[in-house]
Amino acid sequence: MSHEAEAVSSRGGGISAGIKTPRPKSNWLKHEMAVPKPWAVNVGRFALFIIMLLLWEIGARSGLINSFFWSQPVEIARTWWIGVQTGAVWQDTLYTFRSTVIGFVLGTLGGTLLGLSFWWSKYYARISEPFIIMFEAMPKLALAPIIVLVFGIGIGSKIAMGFAITVVITTLTTYNGVRSVDKDLVRMVYSLGASRMQVFRKVIVPTAIPAMISALRINIGLALTGAIVGEYIGSERGLGRMIFYAGQTYEISLIWANIFNLSILSMLLYVLIGKLESLLLKGFMHQK
Amino acid sequence: MMNAYKMELENVSKTYLGTDGNPVNALGPIHMQIPNHRFISIVGPSGCGKSTLFNIISGLVETSDGAIYVGGNRVDGLTGITGYMLQKDLLLPWRTILDNVILGLEIEGIPKKEAKAKALPLLYKYGLKGFEHHYPAQLSGGMRQRAALLRTIMYDREIILLDEPFGALDAQTRAMMQEWLLDLWDDFQKTILFVTHDMEEAIYLSDEVYIMTSRPGTIKRHLMIDLPRPRKPQIITSPQFIELKEEALRTLSEETMRAYQQESAG
Ligand SMILES: Nc1ncnc2c1ncn2[C@@H]1O[C@H](COP(=O)(O)OP(=O)(O)O)[C@@H](O)[C@H]1O
Ligand SMILES: [Mg+2]
């Protein structure tokens, strides 16, 4: 230690000597700021998954778990592999994927347009309001039998389910976004001589975009649920149809194999939506 | 109507429907004759109808009575006649500063490229260089106010209405912005109507100051400010300035008192 530094530190000591002794440094900062390493997290997650499967397998073999109802991982894996080999896995997943995405796109677009359209006329918005709310309050899954009757057991009824289940919530979300517009912004744009169409395009639509984007994530889950329930009621293909069919014939490992496929599909859809979301946010809201 | 004045307000007044269903007189009748290229301030107790007056002139709100003429033509109820900067900066948060500033031109149908080419030199000249591609949230209050003002200037109207543009700024920024506004006014030869609650600011900037009564606001005094231009900030300590200011403040405080008594009486 240099002479100077010594002088400073001793002076510092002199000052603090009269004051309370400082508490020992805790490492709270380390706890708060620490970010676990991504690879370590992934390893941990995978390990947990394997442990759960192991416990399940052991439980089933030792009779602790009733394998008639719960099946067991090895059995499920075997069933799943057969599906892969026959191509049924791909066919059913693709079928459900397609109906979900089409229902989602139609419902989201339709709801967005409907929600935006309410800005144009308060009269029309007021008249529609109770009907929208009534339809929103109704459990749309209960409509499934009628929808399948009307649209048949083909993909049309699955798309219709996805549409029915997403369109109203999107309408409401978008309309709430539209209504949250800053009235003064609207006045300002009118003061620049804007037409209603210009106000709509330059203020109303951009204001509603965050609400519309937030609806995407909810809608994809809803559309998937709609498609699956549609398949339960009546379908020739799809993951929901497989699960329902396997349940009827007590093929528990087939149920699980398809639930596994469904989880993969669902994750895939969420990843896609996440990508779409960040694209839209970057494009419209200039956020990362 | 003669064309001696840039703008004339005749008997302009506004009545709102109150919450109890009875009409509430919010403004007027107002008479004003605004000569071309003048800087005119309007000062009055809060709630006397200054913003309402600007909303009427800009065509956003209908008059209940009276008429407005610009260059001899009746214009009340028409938007797009004046450039109006409302009390808040009201920049569109999803647009860059450059895109905000050209909004008026865009609405007029001028191609974006052309509008940007027109706006960039102004942004450079008036202290927004380096901020063209920033978003409003990234700018200080003073900078945002500048951008809003430039948007109003870019929307090239001969009459400009500014509603308390510097009301929310700190003293130093405000002083800077005043100089900046005077530069702009000089360069662009606009007729400016300026609402403020700061009498010193009103006198320092203006050729004429209107002092309004409490609600319903009418014109109580019309002061001519014959201080020579260009003015230096030190002018506010000159005897002539102080005299004008005292006179104006006395008039205003009568009205503020009255507004206060009105309010406490219910
Ligand atoms: N849309 C409106 N409906 C009813 N009353 C209003 C409306 N806008 C303004 N007022 C009333 O008119 C009066 C003048 O308001 P304003 O012009 O904002 O005053 P200032 O800008 O001078 O403070 C206020 O008493 C206000 O409450
Ligand atoms: Mg006001």
Side-chain angles (χ1 to χ4, degrees):
Chain A
M1 197 185 261
S2 82
H3 222 65
E4 222 170 55
E6 221 169 34
V8 168
S9 75
S10 74
R11 212 181 304 139
I15 289 169
S16 67
I19 313 175
K20 278 196 284 185
T21 37
R23 286 227 244 135
K25 231 189 198 169
S26 79
N27 52 358
W28 65 270
L29 201 66
K30 232 177 174 174
H31 281 291
E32 291 295 316
M33 307 311 275
V35 180
K37 300 245 178 336
W39 66 263
V41 172
N42 285 336
V43 167
R45 284 174 181 166
F46 188 67
L48 186 61
F49 181 62
I50 296 295
I51 289 170
M52 288 194 313
L53 287 184
L54 272 177
L55 287 178
W56 186 356
E57 186 69 36
I58 293 165
R61 286 189 187 201
S62 65
L64 278 172
I65 295 171
N66 185 341
S67 63
F68 178 75
F69 289 118
W70 294 100
S71 188
Q72 58 201 78
V74 170
E75 205 41 49
I76 295 166
R78 194 178 298 143
T79 311
W80 184 78
W81 185 240
I82 293 171
V84 171
Q85 281 172 327
T86 61
V89 166
W90 315 120
Q91 275 175 16
D92 289 323
T93 307
L94 196 66
Y95 185 85
T96 303
F97 174 80
R98 213 167 36 203
S99 43
T100 301
V101 169
I102 298 174
F104 163 82
V105 168
L106 291 180
T108 306
L109 274 183
T112 302
L113 293 179
L114 210 56
L116 288 174
S117 76
F118 289 144
W119 178 77
W120 289 89
S121 160
K122 281 220 177 73
Y123 180 64
Y124 154 60
R126 277 288 174 78
I127 289 180
S128 316
E129 211 174 326
F131 295 95
I132 300 276
I133 290 172
M134 198 173 73
F135 195 60
E136 175 54 20
M138 179 165 47
K140 263 120 358 228
L141 292 178
L143 291 176
I146 301 171
I147 288 181
V148 172
L149 274 179
V150 173
F151 291 91
I153 58 172
I155 199 167
S157 59
K158 319 305 172 296
I159 293 171
M161 280 300 290
F163 176 82
I165 208 169
T166 52
V167 71
V168 187
I169 180 86
T170 314
T171 305
L172 285 175
T173 311
T174 307
Y175 187 44
N176 276 334
V178 165
R179 275 195 303 194
S180 74
V181 69
D182 183 347
K183 297 270 178 342
D184 286 332
L185 277 184
V186 173
R187 289 156 79 90
M188 185 275 294
V189 178
Y190 274 125
S191 86
L192 296 172
S195 63
R196 281 201 89 189
M197 191 54 175
Q198 283 173 319
V199 170
F200 180 71
R201 286 199 1 239
K202 292 184 196 301
V203 185
I204 303 302
V205 174
T207 301
I209 279 174
M212 281 145 48
I213 293 175
S214 77
L216 295 179
R217 195 167 279 273
I218 300 164
N219 282 357
I220 196 70
L222 288 176
L224 181 60
T225 309
I228 295 292
V229 170
E231 289 172 4
Y232 281 177
I233 301 295
S235 183
E236 293 175 315
R237 287 212 209 141
L239 295 173
R241 184 253 172 192
M242 283 311 286
I243 292 167
F244 189 73
Y245 163 82
Q248 300 255 297
T249 56
Y250 297 97
E251 292 180 60
I252 308 302
S253 53
L254 191 58
I255 296 182
W256 281 109
N258 277 288
I259 285 178
F260 175 73
N261 292 334
L262 188 55
S263 315
I264 300 286
L265 174 62
S266 165
M267 271 194 291
L268 178 80
L269 288 170
Y270 275 104
V271 168
L272 287 178
I273 287 301
K275 288 262 186 297
L276 180 65
E277 227 177 40
S278 60
L279 252 167
L280 290 174
L281 280 174
K282 228 196 263 167
F284 290 107
M285 307 310 292
H286 317 287
Q287 289 165 5
K288 269 182 229 137
Chain B
M1 275 292 106
M2 296 127 287
N3 287 349
Y5 295 103
K6 183 76 207 165
M7 176 164 70
E8 294 190 70
L9 308 187
E10 260 185 18
N11 208 28
V12 169
S13 57
K14 182 69 196 177
T15 320
Y16 284 115
L17 211 56
T19 39
D20 54 357
N22 293 323
V24 180
N25 201 355
L27 175 75
I30 297 268
H31 300 274
M32 277 186 174
Q33 292 172 319
I34 314 287
N36 207 359
H37 297 329
R38 286 266 168 144
F39 198 122
I40 289 160
S41 285
I42 298 167
V43 188
S46 89
C48 78
K50 303 178 295 289
S51 297
T52 304
L53 178 63
F54 274 12
N55 286 338
I56 290 173
I57 296 176
S58 64
L60 292 177
V61 165
E62 300 221 325
T63 47
S64 305
D65 198 10
I68 302 171
Y69 298 89
V70 169
N73 301 312
R74 198 164 164 180
V75 299
D76 40 284
L78 300 180
T79 57
I81 303 289
T82 53
Y84 182 15
M85 179 172 162
L86 286 89
Q87 222 161 328
K88 295 186 276 175
D89 59 58
L90 296 177
L91 298 169
L92 302 177
W94 53 84
R95 281 178 170 236
T96 62
I97 295 303
L98 181 57
D99 285 338
N100 264 291
V101 167
I102 63 165
L103 184 63
L105 301 181
E106 214 180 294
I107 286 169
E108 286 188 311
I110 293 170
K112 266 191 153 183
K113 248 199 180 136
E114 195 180 315
K116 284 184 182 178
K118 249 173 135 174
L120 272 176
L122 287 182
L123 289 176
Y124 290 165
K125 182 163 180 206
Y126 294 105
L128 286 169
K129 194 181 172 108
F131 294 99
E132 323 64 286
H133 302 299
H134 283 54
Y135 289 90
Q138 300 171 294
L139 266 63
S140 68
M143 289 290 200
R144 280 207 299 273
Q145 218 64 12
R146 256 175 221 228
L149 204 54
L150 274 182
R151 177 180 61 202
T152 314
I153 297 280
M154 285 292 295
Y155 183 60
D156 198 10
R157 294 297 178 271
E158 291 173 356
I159 302 167
I160 299 224
L161 316 173
L162 305 175
D163 193 353
E164 302 203 33
F166 310 145
L169 303 180
D170 61 85
Q172 274 108 17
T173 314
R174 175 178 256 233
M176 210 167 68
M177 295 290 286
Q178 288 170 357
E179 297 310 313
W180 188 78
L181 177 59
L182 285 178
D183 282 351
L184 266 177
W185 175 58
D186 239 22
D187 294 351
F188 289 90
Q189 293 289 309
K190 305 278 184 196
T191 304
I192 294 186
L193 266 68
F194 185 92
V195 164
T196 175
H197 53 250
D198 180 343
M199 192 62 83
E200 201 168 277
E201 179 173 70
I203 297 172
Y204 176 65
L205 294 174
S206 311
D207 302 308
E208 303 175 20
V209 173
Y210 284 93
I211 299 172
M212 289 177 71
T213 64
S214 55
R215 203 180 84 176
T218 53
I219 305 299
K220 182 170 172 102
R221 280 295 291 279
H222 180 194
L223 287 173
M224 293 295 171
I225 313 295
D226 290 323
L227 301 169
R229 290 191 190 265
R231 296 174 190 165
K232 298 245 161 56
Q234 301 86 285
I235 202 172
I236 63 169
T237 55
S238 73
Q240 201 189 350
F241 190 99
I242 291 170
E243 202 177 303
L244 274 166
K245 187 174 147 189
E246 274 178 354
E247 162 117 34
L249 283 176
R250 204 173 320 117
T251 313
L252 182 63
S253 72
E254 279 171 29
E255 283 311 312
T256 321
M257 279 303 288
R258 184 131 44 132
Y260 177 71
Q261 279 158 6
Q262 262 177 11
E263 238 164 67
S264 19

